[in-house]
Amino acid sequence: MSIRFTAKARRGMVALALAAGLVVGAAGCSGGGDGDDTKSNSSAPASEGGGSQPSAQEGQSETPLMEVKGTEGLLLQITSASRDAGGFVTVSGTLKNDGAKSAVIPSQMSGDETEVIKHGPSLGGATLVDSKGKKRYYVLRDTDGRPLTTTGFGTLEAGQTLPVFMQFPAPPASTTDVTLQVPTFSSGTIKISG
């Protein structure tokens, strides 16, 4: 299984791992979002460089902000959602196979956009919904159309955990609570820090 991170995302993940211990509070899970499908800026500067394997501590903290269940025993725990100075929100956490047997990561998690799908399995179908501002934010992409998220999914063995991240355009500073929607998972509310 190959996980690819952009150079900028790797730097952001290291900073988030350090900041994750400072995140206070948790938001409960809730139903799906009711924002419209207005797309925000869906391109970001291209980052060069190959992939790397994330360290075990990246994207993890003691108390999850949100935990939602998916198909085949998959469990998504979100441990941080932080604003970057560049106008991004980076959502980090872990994907775990909480079932008793191997689980193939559903292809629906990549979404249905041709530009994203052609770069392989990813969390490219994830969205943040700002119900207050009535906007839906899609995972950012580089200039080649690659989603700025964990990619290269395959099969997770029983009990296996994988660090994951997703980058979105940042909602207005006044918006702190958003709904994270990932295809095949229930939706949940997370609080943005920073």
Side-chain angles (χ1 to χ4, degrees):
M1 174 178 6
S2 169
I3 307 297
R4 294 209 267 155
F5 291 91
T6 64
K8 186 172 187 172
R10 282 193 302 269
R11 288 190 301 272
M13 290 297 292
V14 171
L16 284 173
L18 295 174
L22 302 175
V23 176
V24 178
C29 293
S30 70
D34 55 5
D36 67 15
D37 287 336
T38 306
K39 284 195 178 185
S40 295
N41 180 11
S42 63
S43 64
S47 296
E48 292 296 320
S52 73
Q53 293 294 332
S55 72
Q57 68 182 9
E58 286 180 0
Q60 296 182 14
S61 76
E62 293 178 12
T63 306
L65 298 175
M66 178 188 85
E67 187 174 280
V68 291
K69 293 184 179 186
T71 59
E72 307 216 17
L74 293 176
L75 183 68
L76 179 63
Q77 293 181 321
I78 300 303
T79 53
S80 69
S82 302
R83 290 181 193 274
D84 283 336
F88 305 102
V89 169
T90 302
V91 176
S92 303
T94 58
L95 181 62
K96 179 180 180 182
N97 179 354
D98 211 26
K101 59 183 181 177
S102 298
V104 175
I105 305 299
S107 61
Q108 296 94 324
M109 287 172 49
S110 297
D112 58 8
E113 293 184 39
T114 306
E115 190 66 26
V116 173
I117 293 172
K118 77 178 187 180
H119 294 289
S122 70
L123 291 169
T127 60
L128 286 182
V129 177
D130 172 8
S131 296
K132 180 179 163 186
K134 300 192 184 311
K135 288 213 175 204
R136 181 182 305 271
Y137 298 90
Y138 292 81
V139 168
L140 290 166
R141 294 149 186 91
D142 67 14
T143 54
D144 292 326
R146 286 185 207 82
L148 299 183
T149 182
T150 309
T151 60
F153 291 115
T155 301
L156 283 180
E157 299 302 323
Q160 185 178 0
T161 301
L162 178 69
V164 295
F165 82 98
M166 299 157 265
Q167 285 189 321
F168 301 91
S174 61
T175 299
T176 56
D177 292 342
V178 290
T179 301
L180 176 66
Q181 297 179 332
V182 179
T184 75
F185 285 85
S186 53
S187 299
T189 301
I190 56 176
K191 188 173 287 294
I192 300 173
S193 65

